[in-house]
Amino acid sequence: MGIDIEPTGAALGAFVSGLELGKLDPDESATVIEALGEHGVLFFRDQDVAPEGHIAFAESLGEIDVNAYFSPNETYPQIAEVRTRPENTYVIGEAWHTDHSYEEAPALGSILVARQLPTSGGDTAFSSMYAAYDALSDGMKETLRGLRAVHSSYEAFGIGLSKLPEEERSERFRDGFRFGPDVVHPVVISHPVSGRPVLYVNRSFTTRFDGWTAAESRPLLEFLFEHGSSVEFTYRFRWEPGSVAMWDKRCTWHKALNDYRGQTRLMHRITVKGCPIAA
Ligand code: OGA
Ligand code: MN
């Protein structure tokens, strides 16, 4: 069974077939990591991935990074549950973001498996930070290459979660989570696999430029957050039963669509550890 990698035709993403995800050999794992670095996000249809296979797929790509905030699955603590109940009015990840940028060595990627889907809606949109960088002017690229930015989990998970009703917070998030110290990353990184330049800031976790105040940083950050979500850099994935998506967290943003009010959606997520990133 050969691997087939079919690009979506948009700025990022490819559909992959011909792999049994829980049983990759080392060559197949290397192909997946390389394809992720090239396409940013890989989609797999009609998979029959039990939690054990999901864990085995992740472990064939690297070490599992257990998310500090999301509620873990009761039986498999490596799996984070991304839950929406009918009574919830916001969905996890509804602003454009990249997960784990607040870590010193941001995660390589996450593997999301659909467990329970709404009758319609609940798509996930992805955006290419290669394309976002490439589309900037030479002057802006040069300016950004001289900057570093502060990434923090505090705004999103500290302030953000403190605003949720207690019952909802305890249902969807872990008890007693802790914030790591803020970290600083270059605004333009070199992708650890492809070597291509990437715009590496995001609305959920980037708070300011290093050495700048938050107020000074806001206009330029706001421009970059808007620019990065331009529709020509994006691809919108429609989930079906048996769908699996894996995104590279260094070169993409993603956003969960909040358009299925009153319904349940449950996704299982496993995150794979990454490496330090540099300009
Ligand atoms: C995530 C996330 C998007 C979705 O798991 O990090 O943002 O569509 N999920 O559930
Ligand atoms: Mn996310």
Side-chain angles (χ1 to χ4, degrees), residues 82 93 97 99 112 124 247 254 256 265 267 269:
V82 180
H97 66 285
D99 317 301
L112 204 60
T124 308
W247 61 92
H254 59 280
R265 181 175 181 267
M267 312 299 269
R269 187 178 107 166

Side-chain angles (χ1 to χ4, degrees), residues 2-279:
I3 304 178
D4 183 54
I5 300 175
E6 189 74 40
T8 60
L12 79 170
F15 284 86
V16 180
S17 55
L19 288 177
E20 197 170 344
L21 296 184
K23 295 192 177 149
L24 299 195
D25 65 32
D27 281 350
E28 291 171 330
S29 302
T31 301
V32 166
I33 287 176
E34 195 158 322
L36 269 177
E38 182 178 347
H39 300 288
V41 53
L42 303 179
F43 305 112
F44 308 86
R45 293 283 193 203
D46 304 316
Q47 299 294 312
D48 183 14
V49 190
E52 292 82 0
H54 190 183
I55 292 166
F57 178 34
E59 285 178 336
S60 69
L61 303 175
E63 210 182 318
I64 291 177
D65 183 340
V66 178
N67 186 276
Y69 304 108
F70 297 157
S71 296
N73 178 268
E74 276 189 9
T75 315
Y76 302 94
Q78 304 96 317
I79 297 177
E81 293 199 339
V82 180
R83 300 180 187 162
T84 311
R85 292 249 165 115
E87 62 273 21
N88 296 150
T89 54
Y90 98 102
V91 304
I92 291 174
E94 69 178 46
W96 282 108
H97 66 285
T98 191
D99 317 301
H100 291 237
S101 72
Y102 48 81
E103 291 175 347
E104 200 65 63
L108 183 160
S110 276
I111 305 161
L112 204 60
V113 177
R115 294 294 179 207
Q116 199 177 341
L117 292 169
T119 51
S120 69
D123 295 355
T124 308
F126 295 88
S127 189
S128 169
M129 292 305 108
Y130 291 137
Y133 176 79
D134 290 346
L136 294 168
S137 66
D138 290 345
M140 179 60 87
K141 284 178 182 158
E142 199 177 316
T143 299
L144 296 180
R145 281 186 170 279
L147 294 176
R148 290 151 47 89
V150 176
H151 296 250
S152 168
S153 53
Y154 184 70
E155 283 292 319
F157 292 117
I159 313 262
L161 297 195
S162 71
K163 291 181 186 153
L164 290 180
E166 173 54 31
E167 196 185 340
E168 178 175 347
R169 190 162 67 117
S170 61
E171 211 276 316
R172 296 171 103 183
F173 296 94
R174 283 176 186 272
D175 287 336
F177 50 80
R178 304 230 183 294
F179 314 107
D182 292 356
V183 302
V184 176
H185 296 301
V187 169
V188 181
I189 63 164
S190 174
H191 190 277
V193 176
S194 71
R196 290 176 58 192
V198 183
L199 177 63
Y200 195 74
V201 291
N202 72 92
R203 190 183 283 287
S204 292
F205 303 119
T206 310
T207 53
R208 60 185 174 86
F209 296 109
D210 189 31
W212 298 30
T213 66
E216 288 166 343
S217 307
R218 202 167 299 128
L220 181 49
L221 281 178
E222 191 57 42
F223 164 75
L224 295 172
F225 298 155
E226 280 302 307
H227 171 74
S229 62
S230 305
V231 75
E232 63 267 32
F233 311 143
T234 68
Y235 179 77
R236 177 171 167 168
F237 180 62
R238 177 166 198 93
W239 294 92
E240 291 168 0
S243 295
V244 176
M246 177 166 195
W247 61 92
D248 184 308
K249 294 190 198 287
R250 288 81 57 102
C251 60
T252 61
W253 290 350
H254 59 280
K255 171 188 169 77
L257 272 78
N258 182 356
D259 61 355
Y260 53 95
R261 200 59 60 80
Q263 298 191 62
T264 297
R265 181 175 181 267
L266 174 65
M267 312 299 269
H268 277 182
R269 187 178 107 166
I270 304 184
T271 299
V272 178
K273 284 190 182 169
C275 56
I277 50 175

